Amino acid sequence: MRAMTVVPGTADSASVGEVPEPPESDGSVLVEGLYAGICGTDIELCSGLFGSAPAGTDRLVIGHESLGRVLEAPAGSGFATGDLVAGIVRRPDPEPCPACARGEWDFCRNGRYTERGIRELDGYGAERWRVDPYYAVPVPARLGHLGVLVEPASILTKAWEQIDRVGSRSWYGPEHVLVTGAGPIGLLAALTAKQRGYSVSVLDRATEGPKPQLVRDLGAEYLTDLSDLPVAPNVVVEATGAGQLVFDCAKLLPPAGVMCLTGISPDQATVDVQLDALARQLVVRNAALVGSVNAAKRHYADAVDVLMAADQSWLERLVTRFVPLSDWPAALVKEAQDIKVVVDLRS
C-alpha cells in the first residue's frame, strides 16, 4: 500500500513509498486513511532536521494529524465499521515514568516516549493504519473532513488548560487575549479564546490573503504591528517561536499575566535581549511564562468539543489546499494562500 514516507535525517527524501500492511501490533482497530494534515513538524522532518524510524528500517511513515474511517474493530472496542476516528500521536515510554504512567505522556520526564509519524513509530499518512482503541479518538460524522483538525486543536486545548492552571494561582479573571501568529495553531487559539468569551487580538505579518478576514470573522482584531495593540493582554498565546517577538510580548504582561509558548521556530538566530530587565519585570508583576507541547487523551476530546462548537463554514476556510497522496511532497511547498494543507490519502 502507499504511504507518505521519509528517511529521517536525510533532506529531500519525501516520497510516495510502498509499505507493508499495518501490523496487528499497532492496534486492533483497522482504519482506512482519509486525510493527513501537514504542519511545520512534517516540514522539518522532511528537511532532515529530526525524526527517527522504527527499529529495523531506515524509512518512516509520517503523518500525525490524522483522520480515518474504521474498517474493522473488535467487539467492546467502542468503535464500529464506518466510524470516523483520529489517532493520538504520543505513546508512553516502555517503562513509564510517573507522568506517563498516569496518562500524561505529554509531560514525559525521561524522554523515552515514542510518537506516531515522528519518533520510532510509523504515522497515519498511509492508505490504511492500525491503532489501539485507547489511542483512537471518536470524531462525529458532522465534522467530516474537518476531523483532521482534531490533533492541532488538541495542542490548544492543552495550552488553555495550562494557562488556566497557572492563572488560578491567584484571583483569575482574564478579559484580553493576544495571539501571535495566524497560522493554524494561532487561529485555533483565537477560536478557543473567543468561545471562552474573551476579547482577542491576533498579530501576524500578512497583509493580504485569507488570514485577516478569518480573524475578523471570529469577532477578533487583526494586527500587523504590536504597537497597535489597544490594551495590555492578560493572556498571550505565542504561536510563532520568534525570539524577539516572545521577548516583546513578555514585556507587555500585566500583573498576574500569563504567556503560553506553543510555537517553535526553526530559525536558530540569536536575539540580544535585556534578560535581567525582563526577569525583574516578570518577578515584580507576578507574571508567568509557560511552555506547552503535545497533548494528553483528554485534550483530544476537548478539541472535538471546540470544533463541534465552531462555525463549520469558518473551519472550512482553514483548510486552504488539498493535495493527493500521489503527489504529497507538493504539500511541503508553501503557497501564498496556504493556512492548513491536507493530504487526501485516497487519491
Side-chain angles (χ1 to χ4, degrees), residues 26 29 37 82 109 121 131 142 144 147 150 180 187 189 221 231 240 262 277 280 305 307 309 347:
D26 283 354
V29 179
R109 297 299 201 268
L121 295 176
V131 64
R142 186 164 71 85
V150 167
T180 56
L187 289 168
E221 178 183 42
V231 63
T240 72
T262 65
R280 179 181 180 83
D305 291 341
L307 297 176
S347 59

Side-chain angles (χ1 to χ4, degrees), residues 16-342:
V16 182
E18 286 290 331
V19 299
E21 290 292 324
E24 291 191 15
S25 58
D26 283 354
S28 59
V29 179
L30 178 64
V31 179
E32 175 193 12
L34 300 178
Y35 299 101
I38 297 295
C39 75
T41 297
D42 298 302
I43 292 172
E44 292 182 21
L45 278 166
C46 295
S47 298
L49 297 180
F50 68 96
S52 52
T57 180
D58 64 352
R59 189 162 286 273
L60 173 71
V61 176
I62 70 166
H64 59 279
E65 298 181 4
S66 64
L67 181 69
R69 180 178 289 111
V70 173
L71 295 174
E72 298 175 6
S77 66
F79 295 94
T81 300
D83 287 349
L84 293 181
V85 63
I88 290 173
V89 177
R90 188 171 286 193
R91 301 290 185 272
D93 51 83
E95 298 177 7
C97 71
C100 286
R102 291 161 174 80
E104 294 186 346
W105 48 73
D106 51 322
F107 281 96
C108 181
R109 297 299 201 268
N110 59 25
R112 294 179 61 199
Y113 60 84
T114 55
E115 292 178 313
R116 296 288 298 257
I118 301 173
R119 180 173 174 168
E120 300 178 23
L121 295 176
D122 280 333
Y124 302 116
E127 291 180 300
R128 286 171 296 283
W129 41 270
R130 284 184 175 274
V131 64
D132 185 283
Y134 181 79
Y135 297 106
V137 182
V139 175
R142 186 164 71 85
L143 274 181
H145 67 272
L146 296 174
V148 77
L149 298 174
V150 167
E151 192 279 336
S154 75
I155 303 300
L156 278 312
T157 54
K158 187 261 183 80
W160 276 107
E161 179 188 84
Q162 299 307 302
I163 292 167
D164 289 344
R165 289 184 176 183
V166 173
S168 64
R169 63 202 165 128
S170 68
W171 174 83
Y172 183 58
E175 296 179 345
H176 307 292
V177 174
L178 170 64
V179 176
T180 56
I185 295 297
L187 289 168
L188 289 169
L191 168 67
T192 310
K194 289 301 296 183
Q195 288 184 356
R196 288 165 156 250
Y198 304 143
S199 71
V200 179
S201 298
V202 179
L203 177 73
D204 196 272
R205 294 180 295 183
T207 56
E208 299 179 350
K211 291 180 178 181
Q213 196 58 49
L214 277 164
V215 169
R216 293 175 184 132
D217 288 348
L218 275 178
E221 178 183 42
Y222 188 85
L223 304 174
T224 56
D225 192 317
L226 195 58
S227 65
D228 293 331
L229 190 67
V231 63
N234 308 108
V235 173
V236 178
V237 181
E238 210 297 308
T240 72
Q244 185 63 56
L245 183 57
V246 170
F247 177 74
D248 292 342
C249 290
K251 292 192 298 182
L252 295 174
L253 291 174
V258 180
M259 181 172 177
C260 185
L261 309 177
T262 65
I264 300 175
S265 173
D267 188 357
Q268 299 299 311
T270 58
V271 178
D272 292 325
V273 298
Q274 296 177 318
L275 192 56
D276 289 350
L278 176 61
R280 179 181 180 83
Q281 184 168 309
L282 293 173
V283 169
V284 300
R285 294 183 181 179
N286 281 299
L289 274 63
V290 59
S292 182
V293 70
N294 204 264
K297 183 172 181 175
R298 65 183 180 276
H299 303 125
Y300 283 79
D302 293 341
V304 170
D305 291 341
V306 166
L307 297 176
M308 288 294 289
D311 181 331
Q312 302 299 291
S313 64
W314 186 87
L315 288 178
E316 290 273 2
R317 291 157 59 200
L318 291 189
V319 182
T320 49
R321 183 158 58 102
F322 289 92
V323 175
L325 173 59
S326 60
D327 189 32
W328 82 265
L332 303 170
V333 181
K334 188 173 180 63
E335 297 184 357
Q337 302 294 311
D338 281 347
I339 295 179
K340 171 57 66 180
V341 180
V342 171

